[in-house]
Amino acid sequence: MTLFLTILVYTLGGTIVGSFISFLPSLHIYNVAGIALLIWGSMADILPEIAMIPFFTSLIVAFAFLNSIPMTLFSAADESASAIILPGTKNLLLGKGYETVIMSGIGSLVGVLFLVVGTPFFYKIMPYINNIVRPNLAWILLTVVAYMLMSEWPKGAGYGKTVWQKFSGAWANLFAGIASFLLAGLLGILIISKSIVTHQMAFQNIMPVFIGLFAIPSMIQNLLITYKIPKQFVPKETIDLDGKTLVLSSYQGCISGFISGYVPLITAGIGGIIAGAATALRGDKIFIIGGGVAKVIYYVGSFLFLFVITGLSPYGFAKGGLNIILKPYFSPQDNDYFLILSIIVLSGCVSFLMLMWLAKVAVKVLQKINFKLMYVVMLVLIVIFIYSLTGLNGIFVMIVSTCIGTIPVFYHCRRSNLMAVLLFPIILNMAGYGEKIADFLGLIKF
Amino acid sequence: MKGITHFVSGLAVATFFPKAVCMASRGGIVEGAESSFILVLGALYGIMPDTLDFKFGQFFSLPDYDIDCDPIHPDPQKMAESMGKAMEEAFEKDKLVKVQLYPMQLGSDLWRQYVIKFDGENNEVVIILNEIVSTSQVPFEGTAPKENRVGRYKLKSGKMLETHGRPSAVDIMSGPQFGFQKFGEHVLVEFLPWHRTWSHSYVLGFFLSLPVFAITYFFNLTNWYLYGLIAFLGFATHITEDLSGHMGGSLLWPFIKKRYNGFCLARASDPRLNFSVIYLSVTIILFNIDRFTVNVIPLPWYKYYFFFFVIPIILFLIFAEIFGVKTQIKEGLIGVDEILKQARVSNAAAIDELNSEEESIIE
């Protein structure tokens, strides 16, 4: 097989595999990529070395496009669960889940376009920014964390006759936000300083934590749903979207994606909060499409930056899970960037087609499936998965993480506060205080 | 301005101190680098005045009257009467009377929007029930009440003195507080009487920076005085920026308690202004960090700001003009002018700067 065909086949293969994996709720591609890499290693004699990057790149591209299906169609907040329902869920309850998924996909296509059009900027400007920013990451991350905490405002109306009644009512969600941040941060210090997972599975050290913090609380929330999802409308020709909304969403999404795609540990959610505040645009469509744009730049762009090799950035400036998983297995070369970019474009276009097809499948499945049973099965599978990889220790970590992860779900504060699990210990380590804190907590001994 | 704008501009001001920038760098990069978090203080104190108001101050401003209407059977007439009687009480008893309004929540994502207009011309308080809106403040067409939509109350004593002249809309999450006070022959209407008062004072900023001076001195930190100075300047930057709007602040509280007006140069929630200030702050931060530490930017300052600020901002403003990036009026308020006309209320542009600033902070 020629080199071209090898890359083409593995790009398409990665896209198709990634599409089906992303279709399943509660599975994160970084966990799958870790497992896939183990399988890849065991088949190293059969699989061509050159195929690894196209396969994994397209895997992540497909995830960035298609995870809007489970996020929108297989997830719904309970009527009493929150005063604020995310636009995707709201549309699902209005029978517009399919349209929402397609809008997110259109946003993701814009994200791919941004990566193509932004290439001169990545090569000519970003290396300078990177050189200025990197030595200052500790305080920059702390600034982002400080903004996250300080920009969460009281959601309640402050009912009550006394100062304390008004204060405590309005502050309930703020207290919950601070509590979830601190608890997740403490958990992060514990996990990073003293892993309780065996060294063979060290690469999945953080997996039970993330599944506990994010996946299981969502499943619990979905298990508590009390009403039926309505039949979803599938338009025959076009969806309700105008050019101006698309442009404004792209403007917000690109800022959000750029922040989260470049700054380490900043997720698309956190980037979205910052970009949303900075651009002051509001509206459900802007949120959905902008989210689609940001997802691609966050997941895919952050990996692409590994290949921006210049005099000022000899090792690129990548971030993210895929970068960490794959970097030990290859070293990027000067001219790899355009190959990867081509893979992203091809995979993005195929992913969008897969999205349109699988979204229709999902709409049909939605009417037939027992929603709660699906989540029970997923929950059981996840527990088995964690147990098989990390043993009882991993299950314990997952349970603790789940307890923390349910705080934002039921007390209506930002879930992105849970990212303190990584942000907190890493900021401390970057600033040189990590070991002192771990020593103070008795986690390490000098 | 929005919280993030104050936050980033406070940070930008902090980067003008070469020693602070060097201290913030990772160890080994430049002389004096010690991974200090000193610059973060500028940002934290930059957002602090609004934090004090919206997270603390408003809860200490207890209302004399709560207007919390039944969302299922709202009675705008009764609401207008309650407001009007509170104004009369303020005038007759010559005291500050505060009234708290609450949103009408109909479901997890459904709220009944209503509008309050202080009609100075007719000396009336007018309440208009509007459409049901989602939490994104998008109205559902055709949901405005067909009857009993407008309530009005003509003051029996005192002449209404409205300071902002525009209707205020109440819909999601929380409602505003109004303060009424006798002012000569008038009843002065104050929107959010707790906002931009004691919290927006240079004097308070100075006192709040004192603990920073004290702690850093006590712990014998290098250049300890810079920490307190940066904290104060972050706070002061916020207050100064707010003067660009209409409302201003009580700049010298507690010595002078008066809330000074702003210079009315721009609306606090204007996305063009906010984005431009944020972008300017980011370009300043990058330039200052570079010139005091790594020195990789190969351009003199005027070329740098021309290529990386002036040109991009011109392009942004063109973009904003073409695609309508401007202060967003609540969709439910767009039709209010017409309803006000029908209800024979003196007309005014249906935008409320103060209201929109509260939204911009809460969002």
Side-chain angles (χ1 to χ4, degrees):
Chain A
M1 207 188 288
T2 64
L3 181 66
F4 172 75
L5 274 179
T6 307
I7 290 171
L8 183 66
V9 166
Y10 280 88
T11 299
L12 293 175
T15 308
I16 290 164
V17 171
S19 298
F20 284 107
I21 289 169
S22 308
F23 187 76
L24 301 171
S26 303
L27 267 186
H28 198 287
I29 200 67
Y30 289 155
N31 300 138
V32 177
I35 307 299
L37 192 66
L38 279 183
I39 298 168
W40 192 282
S42 66
M43 298 167 77
D45 297 340
I46 312 165
L47 300 170
E49 197 183 334
I50 189 75
M52 181 194 254
I53 297 303
F55 181 81
F56 281 94
T57 305
S58 45
L59 202 66
I60 201 95
V61 172
F63 178 76
F65 272 79
L66 278 104
N67 82 331
S68 58
I69 293 179
M71 274 170 64
T72 307
L73 297 175
F74 299 149
S75 171
D78 179 45
E79 171 77 17
S80 61
S82 172
I84 296 178
I85 298 179
L86 288 172
T89 309
K90 190 180 3 177
N91 283 353
L92 175 71
L93 298 176
L94 291 171
K96 290 159 68 179
Y98 176 82
E99 273 191 290
T100 304
V101 170
I102 299 302
M103 276 194 267
S104 170
I106 291 169
S108 298
L109 279 178
V110 173
V112 171
L113 185 67
F114 173 83
L115 294 179
V116 175
V117 175
T119 295
F121 174 77
F122 303 149
Y123 268 88
K124 297 291 177 191
I125 310 288
M126 280 297 290
Y128 288 96
I129 296 177
N130 185 53
N131 270 264
I132 297 168
V133 166
R134 289 284 152 164
N136 292 281
L137 268 179
W139 71 260
I140 289 173
L141 287 175
L142 186 70
T143 307
V144 173
V145 167
Y147 179 73
M148 289 296 297
L149 289 174
M150 292 196 76
S151 65
E152 188 157 33
W153 303 95
K155 288 197 178 78
Y159 285 90
K161 291 288 174 199
T162 64
V163 169
W164 175 245
Q165 280 173 347
K166 285 165 73 75
F167 182 79
S168 58
W171 261 72
N173 69 305
L174 300 187
F175 278 128
I178 294 166
S180 51
F181 178 86
L182 291 176
L183 289 170
L186 185 62
L187 180 68
I189 293 173
L190 289 167
I191 294 296
I192 287 178
S193 306
K194 201 166 190 170
S195 173
I196 58 172
V197 176
T198 58
H199 68 275
Q200 291 93 336
M201 283 296 155
F203 75 100
Q204 291 290 18
N205 180 26
I206 207 77
M207 183 176 67
V209 177
F210 268 78
I211 284 180
L213 286 177
F214 296 101
I216 296 181
S218 296
M219 292 170 137
I220 293 171
Q221 191 179 17
N222 285 314
L223 284 170
L224 295 174
I225 290 174
T226 53
Y227 54 79
K228 204 169 178 276
I229 306 295
K231 192 175 180 207
Q232 300 297 304
F233 169 68
V234 178
K236 287 203 172 93
E237 286 180 2
T238 182
I239 60 164
D240 179 20
L241 176 64
D242 60 278
K244 184 183 163 188
T245 306
L246 180 63
V247 171
L248 292 178
S249 315
S250 305
Y251 154 58
Q252 191 182 81
C254 287
I255 293 173
S256 161
F258 179 70
I259 294 168
S260 54
Y262 172 66
V263 184
L265 302 173
I266 301 303
T267 61
I270 298 174
I273 289 167
I274 296 170
T279 58
L281 297 173
R282 67 167 166 239
D284 290 351
K285 286 180 184 171
I286 287 175
F287 182 92
I288 292 162
I289 300 166
V293 178
K295 267 195 305 174
V296 166
I297 306 171
Y298 169 60
Y299 284 115
V300 184
S302 60
F303 180 62
L304 178 69
F305 294 153
L306 180 63
F307 301 90
V308 183
I309 295 166
T310 67
L312 279 172
S313 58
Y315 307 106
F317 36 85
K319 62 162 273 194
L322 194 64
N323 170 48
I324 294 166
I325 292 168
L326 292 185
K327 210 173 175 180
Y329 299 93
F330 75 102
S331 61
Q333 303 300 313
D334 257 356
N335 49 0
D336 284 347
Y337 178 88
F338 289 98
L339 173 65
I340 304 297
L341 192 61
S342 310
I343 290 167
I344 290 168
V345 172
L346 174 63
S347 178
C349 293
V350 176
S351 295
F352 186 71
L353 296 175
M354 292 293 290
L355 177 83
M356 289 206 290
W357 174 57
L358 283 173
K360 282 182 184 158
V361 172
V363 165
K364 284 180 188 160
V365 168
L366 200 62
Q367 297 307 312
K368 292 176 185 165
I369 201 170
N370 182 333
F371 215 82
K372 293 193 176 182
L373 183 65
M374 179 184 78
Y375 273 104
V376 170
V377 171
M378 286 303 297
L379 194 57
V380 171
L381 286 176
I382 278 182
V383 172
I384 294 169
F385 182 63
I386 297 282
Y387 179 76
S388 61
L389 283 178
T390 59
L392 275 178
N393 286 349
I395 295 286
F396 176 71
V397 170
M398 187 185 76
I399 292 170
V400 173
S401 308
T402 302
C403 293
I404 300 170
T406 50
I407 297 174
V409 171
F410 294 110
Y411 288 90
H412 319 152
C413 58
R414 285 180 185 153
R415 295 187 80 181
S416 46
N417 285 339
L418 298 170
M419 277 307 291
V421 74
L422 288 182
L423 281 167
F424 203 56
I426 290 176
I427 289 171
L428 289 175
N429 282 337
M430 280 179 170
Y433 304 121
E435 288 188 344
K436 287 176 193 164
I437 301 276
D439 181 39
F440 175 75
L441 293 171
L443 297 169
I444 53 170
K445 290 284 169 217
F446 289 111
Chain B
M1 286 185 191
K2 290 170 72 72
I4 192 168
T5 312
H6 295 307
F7 189 82
V8 180
S9 43
L11 184 61
V13 168
T15 60
F16 279 99
F17 294 90
K19 280 183 184 169
V21 173
C22 291
M23 286 157 67
S25 269
R26 192 178 60 219
I29 297 293
V30 283
E31 195 181 334
E34 53 182 50
S35 299
S36 164
F37 293 136
I38 183 169
L39 297 178
V40 186
L41 278 171
L44 282 177
Y45 273 70
I47 201 174
M48 193 174 281
D50 285 341
T51 302
L52 292 172
D53 270 350
F54 285 91
K55 289 189 179 172
F56 300 98
Q58 66 166 315
F59 306 112
F60 288 89
S61 178
L62 287 176
D64 299 287
Y65 298 102
D66 288 305
I67 298 182
D68 191 8
C69 195
D70 176 5
I72 309 297
H73 305 291
D75 184 349
Q77 185 58 36
K78 199 174 162 189
M79 292 168 78
E81 278 174 21
S82 305
M83 290 279 275
K85 284 179 177 163
M87 295 175 83
E88 287 169 355
E89 184 184 334
F91 182 78
E92 285 158 11
K93 296 187 178 170
D94 193 10
K95 66 168 190 175
L96 174 67
V97 176
K98 289 184 276 189
V99 175
Q100 177 71 48
L101 296 169
Y102 292 91
M104 296 186 205
Q105 187 168 11
L106 294 160
S108 63
D109 190 39
L110 295 175
W111 313 74
R112 167 74 67 193
Q113 187 186 72
Y114 63 95
V115 175
I116 307 117
K117 165 73 184 168
F118 295 98
D119 181 6
E121 233 171 74
N122 296 317
N123 208 29
E124 284 182 340
V125 183
V126 184
I127 303 275
I128 299 163
L129 298 182
N130 241 344
E131 282 94 350
I132 293 172
V133 301
S134 69
T135 306
S136 308
Q137 295 168 313
V138 178
F140 293 97
E141 282 181 30
T143 55
K146 300 282 182 294
E147 52 193 32
N148 195 25
R149 188 175 179 186
V150 180
R152 54 206 310 154
Y153 182 85
K154 195 174 185 73
L155 293 195
K156 293 184 178 68
S157 52
K159 175 79 180 145
M160 187 182 294
L161 182 63
E162 44 164 356
T163 52
H164 56 286
R166 300 174 183 106
S168 298
V170 181
D171 41 34
I172 64 164
M173 296 299 173
S174 60
Q177 190 178 78
F178 288 93
F180 306 118
Q181 206 164 8
K182 188 175 179 184
F183 187 72
E185 290 306 305
H186 294 88
V187 189
L188 182 68
V189 180
E190 275 189 277
F191 183 76
L192 303 183
W194 45 264
H195 185 34
R196 294 208 197 167
T197 53
W198 57 273
S199 61
H200 285 59
S201 152
Y202 293 111
V203 181
L204 181 77
F206 171 72
F207 279 105
L208 287 176
S209 62
L210 286 182
V212 181
F213 280 113
I215 291 167
T216 50
Y217 179 75
F218 178 76
F219 283 101
N220 201 21
L221 297 187
T222 320
N223 299 316
W224 62 270
Y225 60 92
L226 276 178
Y227 290 83
L229 185 60
I230 283 172
F232 171 73
L233 287 176
F235 200 96
T237 302
H238 180 131
I239 299 166
T240 309
E241 282 176 334
D242 273 351
L243 289 174
S244 64
H246 291 66
M247 202 177 189
S250 299
L251 307 180
L252 297 172
W253 183 93
F255 302 118
I256 301 172
K257 291 185 180 172
K258 185 190 168 192
R259 190 162 73 179
Y260 292 95
N261 290 331
F263 295 113
C264 305
L265 300 173
R267 289 196 178 282
S269 61
D270 189 329
R272 292 162 297 190
L273 172 73
N274 280 283
F275 187 80
S276 301
V277 174
I278 292 170
Y279 184 71
L280 173 64
S281 300
V282 171
T283 49
I284 287 173
I285 291 166
L286 287 173
F287 189 72
N288 282 347
I289 294 176
D290 177 69
R291 68 183 171 131
F292 297 139
T293 57
V294 288
N295 275 307
V296 292
I297 297 176
L299 299 173
W301 69 270
Y302 53 90
K303 278 190 182 172
Y304 170 83
Y305 284 110
F306 180 73
F307 287 119
F308 294 105
F309 176 69
V310 177
I311 291 178
I313 279 298
I314 290 171
L315 293 176
F316 166 71
L317 292 175
I318 294 169
F319 168 83
E321 189 59 33
I322 293 170
F323 292 102
V325 177
K326 57 187 174 190
T327 309
Q328 288 180 303
I329 303 169
K330 282 183 183 179
E331 284 187 53
L333 267 177
I334 292 169
V336 161
D337 275 3
E338 196 51 41
I339 302 157
L340 290 173
K341 270 186 203 166
Q342 286 168 14
R344 291 176 292 105
V345 178
S346 66
N347 209 359
I351 309 164
D352 180 342
E353 191 219 7
L354 312 178
N355 204 356
S356 63
E357 190 197 75
E358 186 195 28
E359 277 165 35
S360 72
I361 289 162
I362 297 300
E363 281 165 11

